[in-house]
Amino acid sequence: MVHVERQVTVRRPLAEAVRYLADFSHAVDWDPGTQECERIGSGPLAEGAQWHNVSEFRGRRTELRYRLVTLTDDHVVLVGTNRTVTSRDDLSFRTEGESTVITYRATIRFNGLARLADPFLRREFERLGDEITVSMPAAIDGNAA
């Protein structure tokens, strides 16, 4: 299992940041690996909403189905799965002055034989975590209104 944690500050009110990140279709703007992300179904954004996500990782394309499992005023959890991996994005939010501080935690659990790659991929996921500290604030500050 790989775990990455980063903290970023954005110049948007907490409610706007939560609303923006809870809609996982915006991952194309802030997640460096996401190439496509489309909502499955319609209706209000709520727990149970799902997305089809296409990511590229180390030159390989992978598809996951993400589900919004937690949506509160200050906490969002999205879980993506496919045959070889389960990815959990856990986002906590708090107000600091006129800004919002977001704690981003990603946990990637490989299934079956893919677990053997776990130690070799940790560094790559850390690099992606570092990229998110730039791309996430830029996306939220530029688009969250």
Side-chain angles (χ1 to χ4, degrees):
M1 176 171 48
V2 177
H3 182 77
V4 175
E5 183 172 324
R6 298 292 185 273
Q7 197 168 77
V8 299
T9 301
V10 297
R11 297 180 314 268
R12 293 287 186 174
L14 185 141
E16 287 181 15
V18 169
R19 190 170 39 253
Y20 182 79
L21 290 173
D23 182 350
F24 202 57
S25 61
H26 294 135
V28 296
D29 299 325
W30 62 263
D31 180 2
T34 295
Q35 304 297 304
E36 302 170 31
C37 195
E38 292 185 22
R39 177 124 182 242
I40 299 168
S42 59
L45 186 62
E47 291 176 359
Q50 295 184 48
W51 292 262
H52 175 253
N53 178 280
V54 178
S55 293
E56 187 172 310
F57 182 72
R58 298 185 75 185
R60 295 189 65 191
R61 180 181 162 107
T62 187
E63 298 183 32
L64 293 100
R65 178 173 288 224
Y66 272 87
R67 184 172 171 269
L68 180 60
V69 297
T70 302
L71 176 58
T72 68
D73 292 343
D74 63 356
H75 192 202
V76 172
V77 178
L78 296 132
V79 176
T81 57
N82 68 17
R83 199 172 45 84
T84 58
V85 70
T86 299
S87 178
R88 179 182 175 95
D89 289 8
D90 186 317
L91 301 115
S92 299
F93 303 79
R94 68 179 166 79
T95 299
E96 188 171 282
E98 295 189 18
S99 297
T100 300
V101 177
I102 303 165
T103 301
Y104 171 78
R105 295 174 189 92
T107 304
I108 301 92
R109 184 182 312 267
F110 295 97
N111 306 319
L113 291 176
R115 288 182 306 198
L116 299 174
D118 197 59
F120 305 105
L121 299 176
R122 186 173 310 274
R123 186 176 309 225
E124 183 69 15
F125 282 108
E126 288 289 340
R127 184 189 64 75
L128 290 172
D130 291 343
E131 288 183 25
I132 281 175
T133 65
V134 175
S135 59
M136 184 181 283
I140 294 169
D141 286 338
N143 298 303

